[in-house]
Amino acid sequence: MLFGLFKKKDHRYYQTQGAKYLASERFADARVDFLEALRLCPADAATDQEEIRKGLTLSGNRLGELNLQEGEHSLNQGELQKAFDHFTLAAELAADQGILAKAKAGLARVQQGNAVPSAPPAAAAAPSAAAAPVKEVAGPYKPHGGGSCTSCGTHAPKKPLEAEPVSFGLAEEDQFHLMVAPLPGDLPARYGAMGPKFAQAYLMIHDGNDAKALPVLQEMLLSGENDIVLYEVALIMFRAGRIHESEALLNRALSVNSQNGMVYMALVQLMAGGGRYAEAIALVERMQQENVMADQAQFMLGELYETTGDEAKAVEMWSKALEMPSVARSAAEKLVPILGSQGRTEDVKYLAKKYLKGCC
């Protein structure tokens, strides 16, 4: 958890994350990670590719089913625009022929409503996971004026619904909102409000194109300091090996907004990566004092103490983390091998029974 931000991740990392999201029924998140795993998977890793594609298919089918349900509900409420979007997404996402048939039938029923979808407002809200799940790109995106594909939302369709072909592409704005959705606290909303220029830069970064994203972000900083932009530039600097610049940018971001948890985490990891554990621990303790991602901070303290060789202190930190539901399982996973090596069999059994049921 602690050392993942700057670490280069391979396809197995995203494959594992996708499987975890799938198991917890976070299907949109699962599909995002499975798509990334497939992109990074070597051509000669046939077995992994097959498993990743299975995950994509399963998550796509489940998202398709959710969109079918939403489409039916919207249609029953007379909301033809929403129904059109949901049935379209169901057709885009699902591989299951039954789901596809239902989606096409739903679209036919929408067409019978004799209404043309209206263009959504220019400042449309970020789509929900069900309303705009990530989709595998099957070709050039063609705008259809639907609310879920908001990058083209300012263009109303020029033809009636029955003349509009169903698009099977991925709207970049949908992709952006889904990518930032897992961020902690208010960050998804804040990222979503940064505007199209920032969204484009963010997608460039995700595609590994830091060189094109950097001048866009630097231009944005000319109009004023912003902790999100500073944070993203800091990560670019780190990946370029410009560590001191990265740290300076992160400190600037923290001075702009002392409540941005991701900035704290990046700075902690940068310090830890340089062997500056005392500073990293002090910063995490500051997170706790300011109640910024307190659960993650508690878990990170255990990792930092473990890295410094202070096993007793690490056990103490992770034992406290057991009281925090969001990190309890991860803390138990850390504690079990340590307690087992100490011969504390009963404690191991208790942790396994209470926190690790169904752990593979």
Side-chain angles (χ1 to χ4, degrees), residues 36-115:
E36 185 65 7
L38 190 61
R39 186 180 72 84
L40 296 173
C41 191
D44 58 355
T47 301
D48 285 348
Q49 283 197 14
E50 182 181 357
E51 289 302 314
I52 293 168
R53 290 185 186 280
K54 286 181 181 177
L56 276 171
T57 298
L58 184 54
S59 57
N61 284 340
R62 290 295 295 117
L63 287 168
E65 290 172 352
L66 291 173
N67 275 283
L68 279 181
Q69 294 172 14
E70 292 295 325
E72 290 291 342
H73 175 74
S74 298
L75 190 57
N76 291 335
Q77 296 296 314
E79 298 176 327
L80 297 183
Q81 173 68 68
K82 289 184 179 180
F84 178 84
D85 292 338
H86 284 297
F87 287 134
T88 299
L89 285 172
E92 292 177 356
L93 290 162
D96 182 85
Q97 293 301 311
I99 298 174
L100 289 173
K102 290 178 181 178
K104 290 177 181 178
L107 285 170
R109 290 163 61 199
V110 172
Q111 292 165 6
Q112 292 169 7
N114 296 319

Side-chain angles (χ1 to χ4, degrees), residues 18 31 66 97 106 115 123 134 151 159 193 207 240 275 279 297 309 324 341 346:
R31 191 163 176 79
L66 291 173
Q97 293 301 311
V134 70
S151 64
K159 301 178 183 179
D207 289 336
E279 292 176 73
M324 303 174 176
S341 68
E346 293 304 314

Side-chain angles (χ1 to χ4, degrees), residues 33-330:
D33 279 336
F34 281 133
L35 283 169
E36 185 65 7
L38 190 61
R39 186 180 72 84
L40 296 173
C41 191
D44 58 355
T47 301
D48 285 348
Q49 283 197 14
E50 182 181 357
E51 289 302 314
I52 293 168
R53 290 185 186 280
K54 286 181 181 177
L56 276 171
T57 298
L58 184 54
S59 57
N61 284 340
R62 290 295 295 117
L63 287 168
E65 290 172 352
L66 291 173
N67 275 283
L68 279 181
Q69 294 172 14
E70 292 295 325
E72 290 291 342
H73 175 74
S74 298
L75 190 57
N76 291 335
Q77 296 296 314
E79 298 176 327
L80 297 183
Q81 173 68 68
K82 289 184 179 180
F84 178 84
D85 292 338
H86 284 297
F87 287 134
T88 299
L89 285 172
E92 292 177 356
L93 290 162
D96 182 85
Q97 293 301 311
I99 298 174
L100 289 173
K102 290 178 181 178
K104 290 177 181 178
L107 285 170
R109 290 163 61 199
V110 172
Q111 292 165 6
Q112 292 169 7
N114 296 319
V116 180
S118 58
S128 66
V134 70
K135 303 175 278 290
E136 191 168 7
V137 179
Y141 174 70
K142 180 174 180 180
H144 60 74
S148 296
C149 297
T150 51
S151 64
C152 302
T154 57
H155 304 285
K158 297 180 174 62
K159 301 178 183 179
L161 262 181
E162 57 268 19
E164 285 291 314
V166 176
S167 170
F168 294 114
L170 171 62
E172 288 185 348
E173 189 168 340
D174 289 345
Q175 182 183 7
F176 168 71
H177 284 298
L178 282 161
M179 288 167 61
V180 302
L183 295 177
D186 65 350
L187 286 176
R190 292 190 62 217
Y191 268 69
M194 291 294 293
K197 182 182 291 187
F198 175 82
Q200 286 290 331
Y202 192 86
L203 291 174
M204 290 175 191
I205 293 170
H206 180 73
D207 289 336
N209 203 338
D210 286 353
K212 283 190 176 181
L214 181 57
V216 177
L217 297 176
Q218 288 175 326
E219 183 183 351
M220 293 182 70
L221 287 175
L222 294 176
S223 61
E225 298 274 83
N226 181 284
D227 57 303
I228 290 176
V229 179
L230 287 166
Y231 168 79
E232 295 297 339
V233 174
L235 297 190
I236 291 176
M237 292 296 104
F238 187 93
R239 289 191 290 270
R242 296 159 67 174
I243 309 302
H244 294 299
E245 291 178 64
S246 178
E247 182 173 354
L249 287 161
L250 290 171
N251 279 314
R252 280 169 60 187
L254 209 55
S255 67
V256 172
N257 181 8
S258 63
Q259 295 296 302
N260 189 327
M262 294 301 293
V263 176
Y264 279 103
M265 292 184 72
L267 198 50
V268 168
Q269 292 178 67
L270 187 149
M271 291 174 175
R276 297 155 57 190
Y277 297 112
E279 292 176 73
I281 288 171
L283 189 59
V284 175
E285 290 174 343
R286 177 182 165 187
M287 289 176 67
Q288 291 181 311
Q289 291 167 4
E290 298 193 15
N291 196 30
V292 178
M293 296 176 65
D295 51 352
Q296 301 290 332
Q298 186 66 49
F299 185 89
M300 284 194 295
L301 281 176
E303 289 192 304
L304 287 167
Y305 281 117
E306 179 190 40
T307 305
T308 62
D310 193 340
E311 187 176 89
K313 197 70 174 176
V315 168
E316 179 187 343
M317 296 300 106
W318 285 325
S319 296
K320 290 181 180 179
L322 292 174
E323 301 171 7
M324 303 174 176
S326 60
V327 294
R329 185 186 182 95
S330 296

